Amino acid sequence: DLVATGSAIGWLARLFGYPDGTEGEVWRLAGELPPGAAGITFLPYLGGGEQGALWDPELRGSLLGLTLAHDRRALARALLDGLVLESVRCLAVLEEVSGSADELVATGAGVGSSSMVRSLANGRASVELDAVFGLFAASRAPPAGMKS
């Protein structure tokens, strides 16, 4: 979820034991691996569901494909990839209603990361979008006790 992007990065930084204010370490780790994060898919719906293109407050975050062989770099890259895919999804919806943009302006802490900016500009993200969210839609089942 794009609304919780900064919170998601801070959450992962805390899990990794980094002190507050060093979220850039997560971006640095993510930049050490190419897109795809060694087969991990991170659905970044960590803060109140998805408040962008899908607008579903019931969605929750998920890590798919995680094994004992994965490390911090792979988790950081997976989060970055998930955030980029969600950004691409939102941009696609905006383009549907308002036409294609000649320029994309990024703001916030992520623009300090060449990994994030490069990933947003990379056209491959849109190719991966359908496969990742198709898998999500096919495997989505509400946890016990949650309404569907």
Side-chain angles (χ1 to χ4, degrees):
D1 174 49
L2 299 179
V3 174
T5 297
S7 297
I9 297 298
W11 166 78
L12 196 56
R14 285 188 304 281
L15 282 180
F16 290 167
Y18 296 131
D20 286 342
T22 59
E23 289 81 4
E25 282 299 302
V26 174
W27 295 123
R28 183 189 61 74
L29 287 170
E32 292 180 10
L33 292 178
I40 302 174
T41 299
F42 196 141
L43 302 176
Y45 308 123
L46 301 177
E50 198 283 334
Q51 307 300 319
L54 299 175
W55 203 265
D56 186 345
E58 299 298 319
L59 291 179
R60 295 297 178 254
S62 181
L63 272 170
L64 304 168
L66 190 63
T67 72
L68 294 173
H70 291 109
D71 60 13
R72 291 178 181 202
R73 297 173 312 149
L75 291 172
R77 184 69 217 197
L79 177 58
L80 170 64
D81 290 346
L83 295 172
V84 167
L85 288 172
E86 188 61 24
S87 297
V88 169
R89 178 184 284 281
C90 287
L91 288 172
V93 170
L94 287 173
E95 286 182 348
E96 275 182 35
V97 297
S98 63
S100 181
D102 294 331
E103 181 178 74
L104 174 63
V105 177
T107 63
V111 299
S113 161
S114 62
S115 299
M116 179 63 162
V117 174
R118 207 173 19 251
S119 293
L120 281 171
N122 184 346
R124 286 189 334 172
S126 61
V127 173
E128 298 169 18
L129 182 68
D130 290 335
V132 170
F133 284 97
L135 171 65
F136 173 69
S139 65
R140 183 172 177 229
M146 277 187 74
K147 63 180 182 171
S148 58

